[in-house]
Amino acid sequence: MGNNKKKKKSAEKIYEFFIKHERPEEYAKDPLKFYTPKRVQEYAQSKALMRIQEKITKRVLEISEVEPPGMVLDLGMGCGFSTTLLFLLKYRTVGIDLNRLFLKFYKNYELNSIEAIMQSTGFRPNTFDMIISISAIQWILAIQNQKRKKVLLNQLALQSSNLLKNGGCVVFQFYPKSDVEMHELGSAFNSTGRFEGNFIIDNPGNPKKRKIYLKLMKIK
Ligand SMILES: C[S@@+](CC[C@H](N)C(=O)[O-])C[C@H]1O[C@@H](n2cnc3c(N)ncnc32)[C@H](O)[C@@H]1O
């Protein structure tokens, strides 16, 4: 029993969150306010960010096992670092973002970018083989009003289940502040009763390198 307790403690430690600084989604709250024209330009022209987001996208594809020319929806696509890679790999893409400054930045019309909010996109049911979101969902998870957050997460989950074809999958990479936030996202999808899957955590013991993914398959 004593030993078990010790083991449990060290297992919990692996997933501790060390967030020292307030993050943009906490102090700015509204992504449209945070991503000013200057910040959009800095983000879109950063080669380092492009490399990081491409690396995450490759990992998302590895996790998803969806092959080209699968139809992919990218939620919170920004200036299209991930969507562009998918397009070059011969996936059919649609990307949405609520910030038109990001969407217009590279004028990549072939990516099919649309101004929309991720929890309410208005596409037809059974359209996509995969829905991805990279480094964007923490903006919803940081909403302070718990009721509103729950409504938006439930909308996101329900909409994802409607937009995906049967057997299609969701892979979201995001930066939760705590395991409570991870659970909030997971349980919204769980409550639809239409998905199976789990979290995949790369480098769990290293908060700086850690990447968290939610991978779910639509089962009905
Ligand atoms: C850090 S950027 C990531 C962009 C892109 N996924 C990438 O990997 O480069 C986060 C993006 O999420 C978008 N975003 C945040 N909340 C959103 C929402 N509710 N609906 C649509 N886009 C949202 C922001 O406008 C921003 O472009």
Side-chain angles (χ1 to χ4, degrees):
M1 178 75 180
N3 250 354
N4 271 352
K5 249 191 184 168
K6 256 189 197 163
K7 266 188 195 159
K8 197 165 175 229
K9 258 200 169 168
S10 58
E12 276 163 7
K13 262 198 175 145
I14 289 176
Y15 297 100
E16 260 173 30
F17 288 79
F18 299 100
I19 303 201
K20 289 190 191 131
H21 306 291
E22 221 186 2
R23 305 170 312 157
E25 54 273 23
E26 287 163 311
Y27 64 80
K29 295 186 176 71
D30 179 351
L32 277 173
K33 286 198 180 126
F34 179 73
Y35 288 111
T36 57
K38 186 166 175 272
R39 286 210 177 99
V40 167
Q41 185 177 11
E42 282 167 4
Y43 189 100
Q45 290 183 333
S46 164
K47 289 262 185 307
L49 278 172
M50 184 177 82
R51 274 195 296 273
I52 293 168
Q53 301 312 96
E54 282 181 353
K55 197 170 162 198
I56 298 173
T57 311
K58 286 180 188 161
R59 179 70 178 125
V60 162
L61 291 175
E62 207 174 84
I63 290 171
S64 78
E65 298 169 33
V66 172
E67 301 283 343
M71 182 82 170
V72 184
L73 172 63
D74 185 358
L75 299 175
M77 70 177 285
C79 58
F81 289 149
S82 313
T83 334
T84 303
L85 181 65
L86 291 166
F87 176 79
L88 294 174
L89 293 172
K90 309 275 185 244
Y91 289 89
R92 288 166 295 150
T93 61
V94 177
I96 68 99
D97 202 284
L98 49 68
N99 191 330
R100 80 176 64 147
L101 297 177
F102 266 129
L103 298 176
K104 287 194 309 194
F105 199 87
Y106 285 119
K107 302 188 172 45
N108 287 337
Y109 301 112
E110 66 274 26
L111 301 180
N112 301 313
S113 354
I114 292 166
E115 187 181 339
I117 52 170
M118 66 169 86
Q119 61 278 8
S120 163
T121 57
F123 297 115
R124 287 202 187 127
N126 302 314
T127 301
F128 298 99
D129 298 293
M130 169 158 72
I131 302 178
I132 67 166
S133 182
I134 296 183
S135 315
I137 285 176
Q138 63 271 8
W139 281 98
I140 297 185
L141 293 173
I143 292 172
Q144 292 295 304
N145 181 324
Q146 294 299 313
K147 259 194 186 166
R148 183 172 138 70
K149 174 166 37 171
K150 199 164 181 215
V151 168
L152 297 187
L153 289 175
N154 286 341
Q155 274 178 6
L156 178 68
L158 196 62
Q159 175 196 240
S160 301
S161 73
N162 288 333
L163 296 184
L164 279 173
K165 298 174 188 168
N166 268 341
C169 77
V170 160
V171 185
F172 292 161
Q173 177 274 332
F174 64 111
Y175 295 102
K177 192 184 178 184
S178 63
D179 53 355
V180 173
E181 286 192 357
M182 283 171 67
H183 179 72
E184 285 169 345
L185 181 63
S187 56
F189 278 80
N190 208 15
S191 68
T192 65
R194 298 174 77 184
F195 289 99
E196 66 184 24
N198 218 328
F199 290 100
I200 294 171
I201 305 179
D202 291 346
N203 302 308
N206 183 340
K208 277 198 176 155
K209 285 192 173 169
R210 181 166 52 207
K211 288 282 175 293
I212 298 178
Y213 303 84
L214 177 64
K215 192 250 168 127
L216 298 168
M217 174 100 66
K218 179 177 165 183
I219 48 165
K220 53 182 165 176

